[in-house]
Amino acid sequence: MGQTIQEDGEQEGLAMLHRLAASPATAHHLSQQLAERFVSDTPPAKLVDRMAKTYMKTDGDIRQVLRTMFTSPEFWSRAAYRAKVKTPEEFVVSAVRATGGEVERPSAVLNAMGQLGMLYFGCQTPNGYSWTAGAWVNSGDLLTRINIALALASHKLGTATDLDALMKVNGPNDVTAAQKEMRLEALFLAGVMNPQTRQTVLQQANALSAQGPSAVAVADPFKPKPKQAETIPIRAAFVQVMDLAKPIPAPADKQAAMVAGLLLGSPDFQKR
C-alpha cells in the first residue's frame, strides 16, 4: 500500500489492520458484497459507490452502510424484486418452512443441502459460500432441486407435513387439482407465479395423480455427492438415529403432494 510500519511489536499488526479497514478499496469491496447479498448479483455501481462513501464517512460503521442500502431506490426497485436466486441452504430451509413440516430427521435435510453443493459447515475456502446464482444455477442442480422438493412433499426428506391442514380441506377428494394448486400457490408463492409454470404444474398433477410423487425419479436425500461424505462432520452422528427411526408414512393425498413438490421446485420458488 506504499506505507511503512515501524517495528512496534503487537501494534504493528493493529496498525496494519486499521489501515486495511480504513482503505477505500475495503469500503468498496464490503459494499459490493453487501449489495450482492441483498440487492442483486450485479448491483448498480452508483449504489455501491454511495455505500462505500458512507463507510468512509462513518469510519466503517456497517449499520450506516446498511441503512444507505436499505433506504436506496435501487433496493426498492422493481428490478431488484425476486432478482436473487436462493442458495441451497435458503432453498431447502424455505421449502421446509413453507410446508410447515416437522423435521424428524435433520440428517436428511442437511444431506439435501450437500447434494446441491452447499455442505453444512463444509466450505473449503475462508471466504465462505457464494451469494450469486452463478455458483448454484445449472441444469443438473435445478433438476436436483425439483427432486428434493418432490421428496419433501412426499415425506422422503425426513420431514412430515400436513397438506390437508395447509389447504384447509378434509381429504384428497375435498377439492379439485386446480383448487389444490391455487391454495398451495397462495401459501408458497403468495399467488405470484408464471402462468406457464402454473399450467405445467396442473398438467403434471392431473397426468400423475394416480401414481403420485413415487412415479417421479426422486433423488436420494441421504446420499451425498461423490467424494464429499468425509466433509460432512455431523453426518455420522445422525446416521444411526436415522436408521433406527420409524419410516414416515407417505402423504394420503398423492396429487396434493405432487402439486406441492412441483410448486416448491418451480423457478418462481427459487427466487427470493
Side-chain angles (χ1 to χ4, degrees):
M1 299 175 69
Q3 302 178 35
T4 301
I5 298 178
Q6 299 300 324
E7 185 175 350
D8 193 16
E10 182 181 339
Q11 296 305 313
E12 294 176 45
L14 294 175
M16 190 65 226
L17 290 174
H18 175 74
R19 293 185 187 184
L20 287 171
S23 168
T26 299
H28 187 275
H29 177 73
L30 293 178
S31 297
Q32 177 76 26
Q33 292 220 315
L34 287 169
E36 285 181 359
R37 172 69 177 88
F38 290 103
V39 181
S40 73
D41 289 356
T42 54
K46 291 183 178 179
L47 170 62
V48 176
D49 289 343
R50 290 201 306 275
M51 293 168 64
K53 288 179 180 178
T54 299
Y55 180 99
M56 297 299 296
K57 182 180 179 181
T58 62
D59 197 25
D61 188 337
I62 296 297
R63 178 179 296 186
Q64 296 303 322
V65 175
L66 289 173
R67 180 172 283 113
T68 298
M69 179 182 65
F70 291 140
T71 59
S72 70
E74 291 90 345
F75 179 82
W76 294 98
S77 68
R78 179 67 188 178
Y81 179 68
R82 287 189 174 180
K84 294 286 296 180
V85 173
K86 295 175 182 176
T87 66
E89 178 185 29
E90 291 172 328
F91 164 65
V92 173
V93 173
S94 65
V96 172
R97 286 177 173 173
T99 59
E102 183 70 26
V103 179
E104 299 185 17
R105 300 174 194 165
S107 60
V109 178
L110 296 175
N111 286 338
M113 289 168 49
Q115 279 196 325
L116 294 170
M118 199 173 191
L119 298 169
Y120 204 61
F121 293 128
C123 186
Q124 299 299 305
T125 58
N127 56 312
Y129 288 113
S130 173
W131 293 114
T132 59
W136 310 115
V137 177
N138 60 64
S139 57
D141 282 342
L142 290 177
L143 177 60
T144 302
R145 289 191 180 211
I146 294 175
N147 281 328
I148 287 173
L150 289 167
L152 172 65
S154 57
H155 297 179
K156 295 179 181 179
L157 201 70
T159 304
T161 191
D162 190 343
L163 291 176
D164 285 352
L166 283 177
M167 296 185 295
K168 298 181 179 179
V169 299
N170 296 318
N173 300 320
D174 199 27
V175 290
T176 65
Q179 290 172 321
K180 294 173 185 176
E181 190 283 330
M182 181 178 65
R183 296 188 184 194
L184 290 173
E185 179 186 327
L187 288 168
F188 299 159
L189 295 159
V192 181
M193 190 174 189
N194 183 294
Q196 185 175 357
T197 303
R198 183 184 298 115
Q199 182 179 4
T200 300
V201 171
L202 284 172
Q203 288 175 345
Q204 291 295 319
N206 287 324
L208 300 175
S209 60
Q211 297 89 345
S214 59
V216 181
V218 178
D220 179 4
F222 300 103
K223 184 179 180 182
K225 288 183 176 180
K227 299 182 180 180
Q228 290 184 334
E230 66 277 8
T231 64
I232 309 178
I234 57 176
R235 176 179 169 81
F238 286 110
V239 169
Q240 186 175 9
V241 176
M242 177 187 72
D243 290 341
L244 294 175
K246 294 181 179 179
I248 302 173
D253 191 340
K254 294 184 177 181
Q255 187 181 62
M258 170 64 70
V259 171
L262 292 176
L263 287 175
L264 294 173
S266 70
D268 302 87
F269 191 80
Q270 305 303 319
K271 302 292 183 68
R272 65 165 177 83

